[in-house]
Amino acid sequence: MPKVQDRRLPEPDSPEICQLFPLESVRQIYGFLYERRDSPPTTDEIHAFVADLSGAQSEAIRRLRSIRECLVVQRTQTGRIHRYRLLGWKADAADAMRGTLSRATRARILAPQRCAQCGRTPLGDEVKLHVDHKIPISWGRDDDDDLQPLCEDAIWASGTSMQLTSHIPMQSETPRDTMNRTAGSASCSRP
């Protein structure tokens, strides 16, 4: 199991969590794990929670993987039942956030102002676009040519385990700048 930092976990609706997990669905799963720290949920409970949110059970473990990039989520097994306990920040959490994405690169990827999968636009359809990988990093691809603009619905609909890069801070941006930039974002409010 990865080492855990001696650092307090942020509240589910905090700006830090909004920055770390740009997808609302991932933030909601984080919130579920956060609230259930004393009574860790089972795999079935996580699937049911995600199904209530989106109707897509298969996405639950994929979203959990996003959380596990920076946080320690201990999985324990008793018989055939798996439970997931949110323990804290990974000791190497800074390394878990891959590099930086420059403003120019982010702007170039988002320039079409259209979701690469469904074609919806921020202005016409009121969707928020995220920078996402076409080919998952786990499959060996991690470069700028592998990035595309996708809306949250398109990310949910994709059957691959894409790893978001929109939580990557921009070059020359301090953590405080990042927090201030995302603190007022409407996409970070919880329903």
Side-chain angles (χ1 to χ4, degrees), residues 80-101:
R80 295 181 70 166
I81 298 174
H82 294 258
R83 293 192 176 275
Y84 295 85
R85 179 185 304 271
L86 181 61
L87 295 179
W89 290 96
K90 281 186 177 180
D92 61 350
D95 295 336
M97 293 187 227
R98 303 170 296 275
T100 60
L101 190 61

Side-chain angles (χ1 to χ4, degrees), residues 12-13 18 23-25 27-29 31 49 52-53 152 186-191:
D13 56 354
C18 290
L23 285 178
E24 183 178 345
S25 55
R27 291 192 306 270
Q28 289 172 330
I29 293 173
F49 177 77
D52 287 344
L53 293 175
E152 191 165 314
S187 65
C188 290
S189 60
R190 293 182 74 187

Side-chain angles (χ1 to χ4, degrees), residues 46-117:
I46 294 171
H47 280 293
F49 177 77
V50 170
D52 287 344
L53 293 175
S54 69
Q57 282 187 356
S58 65
E59 298 297 323
I61 300 305
R62 287 189 183 117
R63 301 300 171 229
L64 189 56
R65 280 188 211 127
S66 296
I67 295 169
R68 292 176 108 172
E69 287 180 16
C70 300
L71 301 167
V72 177
V73 180
Q74 180 185 38
R75 185 181 80 168
T76 57
Q77 182 176 357
T78 306
R80 295 181 70 166
I81 298 174
H82 294 258
R83 293 192 176 275
Y84 295 85
R85 179 185 304 271
L86 181 61
L87 295 179
W89 290 96
K90 281 186 177 180
D92 61 350
D95 295 336
M97 293 187 227
R98 303 170 296 275
T100 60
L101 190 61
S102 71
R103 290 179 193 262
T105 300
R106 184 181 302 272
R108 182 177 52 82
I109 301 302
L110 296 175
Q113 289 292 303
R114 180 173 303 280
C115 175
Q117 189 166 359

Side-chain angles (χ1 to χ4, degrees), residues 145-165:
D145 294 333
D146 179 44
L147 301 175
Q148 65 182 344
L150 288 182
C151 69
E152 191 165 314
D153 289 340
I155 293 169
W156 267 104
S158 69
T160 62
S161 59
M162 293 187 204
Q163 297 178 6
L164 283 174
T165 60

Side-chain angles (χ1 to χ4, degrees), residues 106-159:
R106 184 181 302 272
R108 182 177 52 82
I109 301 302
L110 296 175
Q113 289 292 303
R114 180 173 303 280
C115 175
Q117 189 166 359
C118 69
R120 294 190 305 169
T121 64
L123 291 176
D125 302 299
E126 297 183 14
V127 296
K128 181 175 180 182
L129 295 177
H130 299 276
V131 175
D132 199 359
H133 287 276
K134 296 174 189 174
I135 299 171
I137 292 173
S138 61
W139 292 2
R141 187 86 188 263
D142 186 18
D143 55 46
D144 290 353
D145 294 333
D146 179 44
L147 301 175
Q148 65 182 344
L150 288 182
C151 69
E152 191 165 314
D153 289 340
I155 293 169
W156 267 104
S158 69

